Amino acid sequence: MDSLLRKSLFLSFSFFFFTFPTVSANQKLKTYIFRVDRFAKPSIFPTHYHWYSSEFADPLSILHVYDTVFHGFSATVAPAQAAYLLQHPSVLAVFEDHRRELHTTRSPQFLGLRNQRGLWSESDYGSDVIIGVFDTGIWPERRSFSDHNLGAVPSRWKGVCQTGDKFTSNNCNKKIVGARFFSKGHEAAGRFGGGIGVGINETVEFLSPRDADGHGTHTASTAAGRYSFGASMSGYAPGIAKGVAPKARLAVYKVCWKDSGCFDSDILAAFDTAVTDGVDVISISIGGGDGISSPYYLDPIAIGAYGAVSRGVFVSSSAGNDGPSGMSVTNLAPWITTVGAGTIDRNFPADVILGDGRKLSGVSLYAGHPLRGKMYPLVYPGKTGVLSASLCMENSLDPSLVKGKIVICDRGSSPRVSKGLVVKKAGGVGMILANGASNGEGLVGDAHLIPTCAVGAIEGDTIKSYVASSSLSTATINFRGTIVGIKPAPVVASFSGRGPNGLNPEILKPDLIAPGVNILAAWTDAVGPTGLDSDTRKSEFNILSGTSMACPHVSGAAALLKSAHPDWSPAAIRSAIMTTASVTDNRFQAMTDESTGKPSTPYDFGAGHLNLDLAMDPGLVYDLANDEYVSFLCSIGYGPKTIQVITRMPENCPMRRPSPENLNYPSIAALFSSSTAGASSSKTFIRTATNVGPTNSVYSVKVEPPKGVTVTVGPSKLVFSEGVKQLSYAVTVTVDKKNLVLDDSGAVFGSISWLDGKHVVRSPIVVTQIDPL
């Protein structure tokens, strides 16, 4: 009782007596994000800003005030002051501002979209939906962002067109309905020594929503670009370029800056603003730069996304590019739709022809003067054993060794296109870019400055062996342009972030995959297609790869579904996309893993590959309300104060802790302890299906159990009617530990599907053994 009384007195009078600690002159200032209990504001202060600037931090040090998806502020203070403020009873959490990284025309057809039928026509191409893109800005003059024949901007839109360097209000239109930029976190990091490449370089950047990098223009046009006829990248991928939701409106939130990443404080400010502005979908191709996922209460993307989803905004995020190693998937919060990358049925083949006549296949987007079959001497600088030379790092090549030759460079440690520039500076005439074992056979095309062919690890080793065995090794490169109809496709991209979920393996991540390899979309005029400063070429379009490219495909899909079904929640939209996803390729065989050539698993692709024709009419959905996410947070051991950091509201957990596996998710992950006594073990999971198809529908269950596992479902039929729109069922998973043999990924996989004669509502099942830490 005494402590409660002291706390209430402290809250009443703290603004008179709360003084900051003495900060030594040599203490380095940093940016921190402060989560504050909004209900604790003393009534004497008219606004939260007045409270924060009077009691917590100097007004000049405050960067952002958050009041929509998050409550609190970010400020530049000394670490000692941040630690001191954490003791304040109104401060729920403090976390340091961190830098994050970007997860860097045929794909709509490959998704099953066709003109005048299916999802495009039934949703009017998404014309009433607003997609907020958190990225590097936009190059508004591109044809992809024309507002020709678009109707009025939706009346609910409250956003603005923020002007700045080479960006005026005329750069917004009925397509780009709003544009803002967020730079305070970046600028503070630059002022107070945030490291190399931190701070905005205004010699190459625009202090405005204009895109100096290209990434944001590319992702925005992938999600919602208009029809652009005669599109190509220097002749590659010719045809009509268009986004997944061509009539959807775009709201641009520039949170990332060329060569210097994206800061948490700015990302959180963008979430706060975008939800207030009135976006329907948020597309964020950004993640932790270190491949490590923070707990949800320390992850501003997870916190901002929760605030958005709780207000009905769908959030799509990239799974990261740290595959194919296990547990590399990022953006793990269960309210975020996490998207991995797959290939499409288009490729840009090139061949390396060796002096002994052997031909080895690779890919390239080189568009300059071809080698025309001329054979050149072949050299591998890595033969010396110097790692930097094998990787063709800056200043690592001896011109006397490489001049006039084709140079073999190992992939890794520096950008692929930068290696070509190093070779060019040293006098080389061409480059063979060889994968290492970690990349396997996964290839992506690049618009290289010199004749270049990227090859897989096996081909790379073959070429190196040829060089080692011959004193007169020669080669040439033949570029074969664009080929469509490639089989198999899709294939899970080798770089795509993989499961299991490193925070909560009870939730399968990624959720699904979408096209993310060699994607053609609009590009900036600020840099050439390689993004290198020395690349002076101008290109209306560029071809990029990454889960960054996959994420906006799902953002566009969500816009189409939101347009066709305005009453669907973010969870219902995700469920429709997941339960209708494809698990086979265009050969009608199991999807394969690009890095190994073997069949892929739900740890690679989640529920499967995006299939929009089916997502329009999923039959059943697994919906989720805010209180179910709160129950999930209780189930993983978060206390009321920790949960409030995420949800903004004080929450009470039940005495009996819920099970995280019972979150009404469209996938099921069953975790068993290998140390549990007994030969067999069972777990039961509850799921609730909502009928969004014909009123009177009867669904029967089909079970494909994982190998060595028994799966039973009860009831085995779901009968929906006018008065029965939701039904629950139980899934019991039983493992016989004596006969359970886990595969290379440490799990076995199966599925359950509900069928009514038209719809197939499929959920993957993952069974694994994980011992608690």
Side-chain angles (χ1 to χ4, degrees):
M1 186 67 184
D2 281 348
S3 63
L4 283 174
L5 181 60
R6 281 198 303 272
K7 182 172 181 179
S8 64
L9 287 170
F10 191 95
L11 286 174
S12 300
F13 301 111
S14 62
F15 53 92
F16 295 121
F17 300 117
F18 199 85
T19 56
F20 300 132
T22 303
V23 178
S24 65
N26 60 0
Q27 217 181 351
K28 187 172 165 185
L29 298 181
K30 295 182 177 181
T31 299
Y32 293 89
I33 300 169
F34 297 86
R35 173 69 174 89
V36 183
D37 183 353
R38 63 177 171 141
F39 301 107
K41 179 179 76 65
S43 58
I44 192 171
F45 294 112
T47 68
H48 282 86
Y49 172 75
H50 286 88
W51 181 31
Y52 302 152
S53 59
S54 299
E55 189 172 339
F56 297 105
D58 184 287
L60 295 176
S61 72
I62 293 177
L63 305 180
H64 298 290
V65 172
Y66 311 108
D67 58 12
T68 301
V69 302
F70 183 82
H71 284 282
F73 63 97
S74 55
T76 304
V77 298
Q81 185 178 341
Y84 186 66
L85 288 174
L86 183 57
Q87 300 171 36
H88 192 294
S90 301
V91 176
L92 300 175
V94 177
F95 34 100
E96 190 178 334
D97 201 9
H98 285 296
R99 182 166 69 165
R100 295 174 184 266
E101 305 296 337
L102 294 159
H103 285 149
T104 207
T105 52
R106 190 174 157 77
S107 47
Q109 271 85 356
F110 192 65
L111 297 177
L113 290 172
R114 299 288 187 277
N115 291 349
Q116 305 306 322
R117 58 177 282 266
L119 190 49
W120 259 348
S121 57
E122 291 180 50
S123 66
D124 189 29
Y125 301 78
S127 65
D128 52 347
V129 175
I130 301 164
I131 302 174
V133 180
F134 292 14
D135 215 294
T136 62
I138 197 163
W139 197 265
E141 292 81 7
R142 291 299 182 226
R143 290 182 290 159
S144 299
F145 309 124
S146 162
D147 66 354
H148 183 62
N149 288 336
L150 277 183
V153 175
S155 58
R156 68 184 185 283
W157 176 245
K158 301 183 186 70
V160 302
C161 190
Q162 186 179 1
T163 59
D165 187 11
K166 294 184 170 55
F167 200 94
T168 71
S169 59
N170 292 330
N171 290 127
C172 294
N173 55 20
K174 290 183 288 185
K175 179 66 175 178
I176 304 172
V177 297
R180 298 179 187 262
F181 62 98
F182 299 82
S183 60
K184 291 178 180 177
H186 256 98
E187 290 167 336
R191 279 197 306 272
F192 300 112
I196 297 170
V198 170
I200 296 165
N201 181 352
E202 292 188 42
T203 62
V204 297
E205 254 295 0
F206 305 100
L207 205 58
S208 76
R210 186 168 288 279
D211 183 8
D213 179 273
H215 192 280
T217 300
H218 198 280
T219 55
S221 62
T222 299
R226 302 297 302 276
Y227 281 67
S228 297
F229 294 89
S232 75
M233 197 285 291
S234 300
Y236 285 100
I240 303 170
K242 53 191 171 294
V244 178
K247 286 189 180 179
R249 316 307 173 106
L250 286 166
V252 175
Y253 299 86
K254 182 175 177 177
V255 296
C256 302
W257 299 81
K258 183 172 171 58
D259 301 329
S260 54
C262 337
F263 275 81
D264 285 342
S265 56
D266 294 334
I267 293 170
L268 198 52
F271 270 112
D272 216 52
T273 306
V275 172
T276 304
D277 286 348
V279 302
D280 301 295
V281 173
I282 289 173
S283 186
I284 178 165
S285 293
I286 301 168
D290 50 12
I292 298 171
S293 295
S294 302
Y296 309 128
Y297 60 88
L298 294 178
D299 180 354
I301 292 180
I303 295 168
Y306 180 88
V309 169
S310 67
R311 287 170 163 77
V313 179
F314 181 93
V315 179
S316 172
S317 190
S318 45
N321 297 338
D322 291 324
S325 54
M327 214 177 283
S328 52
V329 60
T330 64
N331 292 318
L332 302 173
W335 44 86
I336 294 174
T337 300
T338 309
V339 189
T343 65
I344 61 174
D345 61 343
R346 177 181 66 202
N347 206 0
F348 310 103
D351 299 319
V352 175
I353 301 165
L354 301 180
D356 61 8
R358 283 181 290 175
K359 183 190 289 186
L360 301 163
S361 298
V363 301
S364 184
L365 292 170
Y366 173 72
H369 295 294
L371 298 181
R372 303 190 187 281
K374 182 178 178 181
M375 305 299 287
Y376 289 90
L378 191 57
V379 62
Y380 177 45
K383 195 163 63 170
T384 62
V386 178
L387 181 61
S388 61
S390 74
L391 294 165
C392 298
M393 304 291 281
E394 190 72 38
N395 299 319
S396 68
L397 299 183
D398 180 353
S400 65
L401 179 69
V402 305
K403 188 174 182 181
K405 298 176 183 177
I406 293 175
V407 182
I408 304 165
C409 297
D410 289 331
R411 184 172 167 182
S413 297
S414 64
R416 298 181 299 271
V417 290
S418 296
K419 297 175 189 293
L421 183 60
V422 171
V423 171
K424 183 180 181 183
K425 285 179 179 177
V429 297
M431 178 174 71
I432 296 169
L433 185 63
N435 278 3
S438 62
N439 299 112
E441 304 310 303
L443 299 175
V444 292
D446 293 297
H448 288 280
L449 292 168
I450 62 170
T452 297
C453 180
V455 297
I458 294 171
E459 289 84 355
D461 288 344
T462 299
I463 298 168
K464 290 171 194 173
S465 296
Y466 166 64
V467 172
S469 64
S470 171
S471 58
L472 297 172
S473 53
T474 59
T476 190
I477 303 171
N478 180 34
F479 304 98
R480 295 199 279 136
T482 305
I483 294 181
V484 296
I486 296 291
K487 292 184 179 182
V491 171
V492 179
S494 62
F495 58 76
S496 186
R498 306 294 213 272
N501 180 330
L503 287 181
N504 297 107
E506 305 91 345
I507 305 297
L508 178 64
K509 290 284 182 176
D511 291 310
L512 75 162
I513 63 170
V517 177
N518 294 335
I519 302 301
L520 178 81
W523 191 244
T524 178
D525 254 358
V527 291
T530 62
L532 297 172
D533 293 339
S534 59
D535 186 356
T536 58
R537 295 174 293 175
K538 304 287 186 189
S539 181
E540 184 183 4
F541 298 92
N542 200 3
I543 295 170
L544 298 181
S545 298
T547 54
S548 274
M549 284 63 251
C551 169
H553 280 87
V554 169
S555 308
L560 295 177
L561 287 165
K562 185 74 175 176
S563 185
H565 304 284
D567 57 332
W568 280 12
S569 70
I573 291 171
R574 174 176 57 194
S575 175
I577 290 170
M578 287 176 65
T579 61
T580 58
S582 305
V583 293
T584 56
D585 58 28
N586 54 6
R587 305 169 302 173
F588 303 103
Q589 297 177 22
M591 272 192 293
T592 55
D593 181 343
E594 186 181 42
S595 66
T596 64
K598 296 177 181 177
S600 51
T601 74
Y603 277 169
D604 307 320
F605 57 68
H609 187 276
L610 180 62
N611 185 331
L612 271 175
D613 263 0
L614 296 178
M616 178 70 188
D617 179 20
L620 306 176
V621 295
Y622 297 97
D623 210 349
L624 280 163
N626 294 343
D627 59 351
E628 292 173 272
Y629 289 124
V630 172
S631 179
F632 167 79
L633 294 172
C634 291
S635 76
I636 61 173
Y638 285 12
K641 184 175 176 181
T642 304
I643 294 174
Q644 189 180 354
V645 172
I646 300 165
T647 65
R648 310 177 308 285
M649 300 292 288
E651 307 287 355
N652 290 311
C653 292
M655 291 291 290
R656 184 177 178 183
R657 185 189 287 189
S659 168
E661 295 99 326
N662 280 333
L663 183 69
N664 199 39
Y665 217 71
S667 54
I668 294 172
L671 279 57
F672 293 92
S673 171
S674 59
S675 58
T676 307
S680 68
S681 206
S682 292
K683 280 194 173 185
T684 297
F685 309 89
I686 306 298
R687 290 293 184 269
T688 301
T690 301
N691 182 26
V692 293
T695 302
N696 298 303
S697 298
V698 179
Y699 284 83
S700 300
V701 73
K702 176 187 174 186
V703 177
E704 294 182 4
K707 190 175 181 181
V709 177
T710 302
V711 178
T712 58
V713 179
S716 59
K717 277 195 174 175
L718 300 177
V719 181
F720 296 95
S721 63
E722 182 69 41
V724 181
K725 298 191 183 303
Q726 280 193 338
L727 287 169
S728 296
Y729 62 90
V731 180
T732 300
V733 178
T734 304
V735 298
D736 181 349
K737 292 180 182 174
K738 292 179 180 176
N739 298 321
L740 183 64
V741 180
L742 303 179
D743 72 6
D744 293 343
S745 65
V748 286
F749 307 92
S751 67
I752 62 167
S753 302
W754 292 97
L755 298 83
D756 69 347
K758 177 185 178 184
H759 305 95
V760 178
V761 187
R762 184 182 181 279
S763 293
I765 298 176
V766 178
V767 177
T768 187
Q769 290 184 321
I770 294 181
D771 288 317
L773 296 174

